[in-house]
Amino acid sequence: MRRPALRRAGLGAVLAAAAVLAAAGAASAHVTVHPESYARGAADGVLAFRVPNEDDTASTTEVQVFLPTDHPVLGVLVRPQDGWTAKVTTTRLRTPVKTDDGTITEAASEITWTGGKIGPGGYEDFDVAFGQLPDDSGRLTFKTLQTYSDGRTVRWIEEAASGADEPENPAPVLELTPAAGAGATEAPSAAPESAGGTDAAATGTGTAQAADAGDSTARGLGAAGLAVGVLGLAAAALAVLRTRPKRS
C-alpha cells in the first residue's frame, strides 16, 4: 500500500515543480532593458534591450523600440548586430536640452531592427550606447513592438499602475536613481506622464549598475537552483516507479 502512495507523491511533486518552472519562464519571457537602473544624468553608458522569442513556430523578424522624447536620451549610437540592420529615427524636441556642449534640439525617438531572425526558444540582445540620460525623471519607459515571421505583432507598451500587478505586455522600464552624492531628501519626481516617459519617485543611492549586476546574478542563481530541483524531483519519481513491485 505504501508504494502506490509514494508513486502518487513523486509524480505530484514532479508536476508541481514543472508548473513552477513553467510559470517562472513565462513571467520572464517579455522584452526587458538591462541594466534595470542607472543614475540620473549618467553619461556614456550602454542599454541592452533583450528580446525573447515566445512563439513555438514563428521567428522574430523586426524589433521597434520607441525612446521617450519628453525626457530624451542623448547621443544614441547602435552597436552593429550580425544579420540585423538598424535604423535610428530622430525627432525635434519640443523643449531643447542644454548641455555643456551646447543646446540639443533633436534626439532619437525610435530604433528599428530588421533583416535578422530570432528563432523559437531564442533571444537577442540589442545594444544601444548613449551619451547622456535625463536628470529630471525617475524612470524611462521604452515601448516596444515585436513582429513575427507570420505577421503577428506583440505590443510591449503597457505600463503598470502604482501598486498594481505587472500587465500582460509590459513595456521595458529603466529606473533612474539619484546620482551619487545627491541628498537623501531629494524631492520625488512629478506625477507619471504619458508619451513613454513616465516619472516616478526614485529610491536608493550608490552605483545603479553594480546593484543591477547583483540582481541579475541572484536571478540567474535562483533559476539554476530551480532547474536543478526539478531534475532532482524527476529523478526521485522515476526511481520510485522503477522499484515498485510488479503485479502477479
Side-chain angles (χ1 to χ4, degrees), residues 144-170:
T144 302
L145 302 184
Q146 179 180 10
T147 301
Y148 286 89
S149 55
D150 60 4
R152 182 170 56 92
T153 297
V154 179
R155 301 167 62 82
W156 303 100
I157 62 173
E158 298 176 351
E159 301 180 45
S162 178
D165 293 336
E166 183 179 71
E168 182 178 357
N169 295 313

Side-chain angles (χ1 to χ4, degrees), residues 12-244:
V14 170
L15 292 174
V20 171
L21 185 59
S28 61
H30 52 70
V31 179
T32 52
V33 60
H34 302 271
E36 297 175 351
S37 64
Y38 254 114
R40 296 177 188 173
D44 300 326
V46 175
L47 298 173
F49 293 93
R50 178 160 298 177
V51 181
N53 188 68
E54 297 180 284
D55 199 284
D56 293 332
T57 57
S59 299
T60 296
T61 56
E62 180 176 295
V63 176
Q64 295 172 273
V65 175
F66 296 88
L67 286 69
T69 55
D70 49 354
H71 301 286
V73 178
L74 305 181
V76 167
L77 295 173
V78 179
R79 181 178 68 83
Q81 199 95 347
D82 289 344
W84 295 88
T85 299
K87 177 184 177 182
V88 179
T89 300
T90 59
T91 189
R92 191 171 187 83
L93 300 176
R94 288 189 297 178
T95 304
V97 179
K98 294 183 179 181
T99 70
D100 293 339
D101 298 322
T103 300
I104 306 298
T105 59
E106 291 187 344
S109 58
E110 178 186 344
I111 306 174
T112 302
W113 287 270
T114 56
K117 182 174 68 175
I118 307 173
Y123 75 92
E124 192 87 34
D125 283 343
F126 297 91
D127 292 343
V128 177
F130 62 83
Q132 183 175 330
L133 295 177
D135 59 5
D136 58 351
S137 178
R139 59 164 46 184
L140 298 178
T141 300
F142 300 94
K143 297 182 178 181
T144 302
L145 302 184
Q146 179 180 10
T147 301
Y148 286 89
S149 55
D150 60 4
R152 182 170 56 92
T153 297
V154 179
R155 301 167 62 82
W156 303 100
I157 62 173
E158 298 176 351
E159 301 180 45
S162 178
D165 293 336
E166 183 179 71
E168 182 178 357
N169 295 313
V173 172
L174 177 70
E175 299 292 342
L176 297 180
T177 63
T185 57
E186 181 176 348
S189 302
E193 300 176 2
S194 58
T198 305
D199 288 346
T203 58
T205 57
T207 305
Q209 290 172 284
D212 179 72
D215 289 344
S216 299
T217 301
R219 286 193 300 273
L221 291 175
L226 181 58
V228 171
V230 171
L231 292 176
L233 288 172
L238 289 175
V240 170
L241 293 176
R242 289 174 179 173
T243 56
R244 77 181 191 278

